[in-house]
Amino acid sequence: MSGGNRKPDGAALGRQVLDGDRRALARAITLIESTRRDHRKEAARLLEVLLPRSGQSIRIGISGVPGVGKSTFIETFGGYLLEQGHKVAVLAVDPSSRRTGGSILGDKTRMEHLARDERAFIRPSPTAGTLGGVARRTRESMLAVEAAGFDVVIVETVGVGQSETAVADMVDLFMLLLLPGGGDELQGIKKGIVEIADLLLVNKADGELKQAASRAAAEYQSAVRMLRPAAADWIPPVNTCSALTGDGIAPTWERIGEYRDLMRSDGRLEKRRAEQARAWMWSEVDDALLAAFREHDGVRERLEALEQAVMDGRTPATAAAQELLAVFLDGVNGNATD
Ligand SMILES: Nc1nc2c(ncn2[C@@H]2O[C@H](COP(=O)(O)OP(=O)(O)O)[C@@H](O)[C@H]2O)c(=O)[nH]1
Ligand SMILES: [Mg+2]
């Protein structure tokens, strides 16, 4: 951050973001991503300013195995949305990005036009921390880009571990990109991810792969049908597209619009967001409690010996946990005025 010694003022920064100041937005997200305790406090004030002006976008999650064409798709799809008069923000959840050097950042060459366009905002995944931490900061960044006036937010995830679920839990619509493979690939995709997808797209439906893509789409479509209850009013459609040629991009946006209209028509969208907000609150509580527990002096004093005793089979795990919790809770009660 420029002026690293200057103490950030969360509330002032928030007002600049609301004014549509791009550099302020970038600084706001840097503040959100900071783990420094004083920065967390300012970030909380920042979010208080931003929250009332957030929530106006459609939040779209995009997942798929590396190489399926996510970055290329976002470039083409994002470009299409800009043409339609939208403002597009792209965020990422990639807890592995410390090792890989950042999913989006490494891909910015594939999002050349989007990255250079004033009406778009691209931010790579935060590079430090656990999935929970990365997801939390991405959620907060999402509120910031919404408050800055971006009306389509795309959250990309790499197909690693639980990050798909974390992204599905923060978006209105979760989209899965697939390769035009045959039945083998059907087996390879984790069933759970197909289950949480609201929209599936077989990418690379161009040239020699076009027919294979159509076949794969039909196979996925029947698989998806079987996963859904017969009464469901939204059977996730499986379409084909080519991120390279732009084929199927406009229909994809139409499908998204249909989905949003349906979810809005009976309050399901609000309900989904409300549930997400509640789950988010609890994961914050979980994280903060665990951090406080691990930082607690009395716990730290005993932790190593107790862990060893559990590993050696000298102390039952339950007894050790109870002892640590007793120490922790006693400390909490004793410091109630702190
Ligand atoms: N033929 C074809 N190739 C594509 C398409 N989309 C992406 N690719 C290629 O697939 C490779 C991986 O794309 P990339 O966007 O980096 O995938 P990501 O890892 O999911 O972000 C690149 O060589 C792209 O040029 C497409 O629609 N058709
Ligand atoms: Mg990529």
Side-chain angles (χ1 to χ4, degrees):
M1 185 168 15
S2 62
N5 292 326
R6 209 174 55 213
K7 194 168 154 34
D9 177 342
L13 197 52
R15 286 190 294 274
Q16 288 172 295
V17 170
L18 293 183
D19 281 344
D21 180 339
R22 273 182 81 90
R23 290 184 54 213
L25 175 61
R27 273 187 285 132
I29 295 181
T30 302
L31 181 62
I32 283 167
E33 290 176 354
S34 173
T35 50
R36 269 175 53 177
R37 196 176 290 237
D38 54 333
H39 285 178
R40 292 301 310 160
K41 251 186 207 150
E42 289 305 320
R45 296 180 58 209
L46 166 77
L47 288 164
E48 244 170 67
V49 174
L50 300 181
L51 190 65
R53 291 270 291 271
S54 68
Q56 302 301 321
S57 80
I58 173 133
R59 304 164 175 173
I60 303 170
I62 294 188
S63 185
V65 296
V68 69
K70 293 181 295 300
S71 304
T72 313
F73 177 83
I74 292 170
E75 164 85 346
T76 306
F77 183 60
Y80 171 79
L81 293 177
L82 296 185
E83 275 170 28
Q84 302 292 306
H86 295 285
K87 288 181 75 186
V88 181
V90 184
L91 307 172
V93 171
D94 178 6
S96 66
S97 64
R98 200 192 330 217
R99 269 179 291 125
T100 57
S103 60
I104 291 189
L105 203 60
D107 281 350
K108 261 201 169 170
T109 46
R110 294 231 166 83
M111 300 190 206
E112 214 176 343
H113 293 100
L114 212 54
R116 263 183 301 173
D117 200 298
E118 277 291 304
R119 299 162 296 170
F121 182 86
I122 300 183
R123 184 78 178 194
S125 181
T127 49
T130 59
L131 171 60
V134 169
R136 170 168 66 225
R137 291 192 285 276
T138 302
R139 278 175 193 281
E140 292 179 348
S141 300
M142 183 161 76
L143 302 180
V145 296
E146 285 180 345
F150 292 89
D151 67 329
V152 181
V153 182
I154 297 173
V155 185
E156 180 192 354
T157 175
V158 291
V160 173
Q162 295 297 305
S163 60
E164 293 92 351
T165 328
V167 168
D169 285 346
M170 67 175 83
V171 297
D172 303 326
L173 175 140
F174 186 72
M175 188 153 84
L176 181 62
L177 259 54
L178 299 158
L179 287 166
D184 286 354
E185 207 226 337
L186 258 175
Q187 305 298 316
I189 299 280
K190 281 170 274 174
K191 190 162 154 266
I193 296 167
V194 175
E195 269 169 5
I196 58 173
D198 303 301
L199 183 61
L200 298 89
L201 270 183
V202 180
N203 189 34
K204 308 199 183 184
D206 48 50
E208 290 178 348
L209 292 170
K210 201 165 178 174
Q211 284 210 335
S214 297
R215 269 198 310 276
E219 282 177 45
Y220 277 114
Q221 188 68 80
S222 55
V224 163
R225 247 178 246 288
M226 286 193 294
L227 289 170
R228 298 279 156 158
D233 59 4
W234 180 261
I235 306 288
V238 186
N239 291 3
T240 61
C241 77
S242 168
L244 219 51
T245 68
D247 273 355
I249 294 293
T252 298
W253 181 237
E254 272 173 44
R255 293 294 90 70
I256 292 172
E258 289 161 13
Y259 178 82
R260 182 181 45 183
D261 291 346
L262 179 66
M263 295 299 131
R264 271 187 183 160
S265 65
D266 60 359
R268 254 179 289 176
L269 186 66
E270 286 72 19
K271 206 171 141 207
R272 179 167 174 162
R273 286 189 173 184
E275 280 305 326
Q276 289 173 340
R278 178 170 57 183
W280 180 10
M281 182 195 84
W282 278 107
S283 82
E284 293 278 332
V285 171
D286 287 349
D287 290 355
L289 268 180
L290 196 60
F293 180 79
R294 287 184 176 280
E295 282 164 19
H296 184 272
D297 288 338
V299 169
R300 280 166 58 172
E301 267 166 35
R302 289 167 181 77
L303 194 57
E304 207 180 320
L306 273 170
E307 251 181 8
Q308 196 57 52
V310 168
M311 288 165 77
D312 294 345
R314 284 180 283 120
T315 304
T318 317
Q322 273 168 3
E323 186 176 335
L324 288 170
L325 280 168
V327 169
F328 175 65
L329 292 173
D330 196 39
V332 170
N333 295 331
N335 290 327
T337 52
D338 188 71

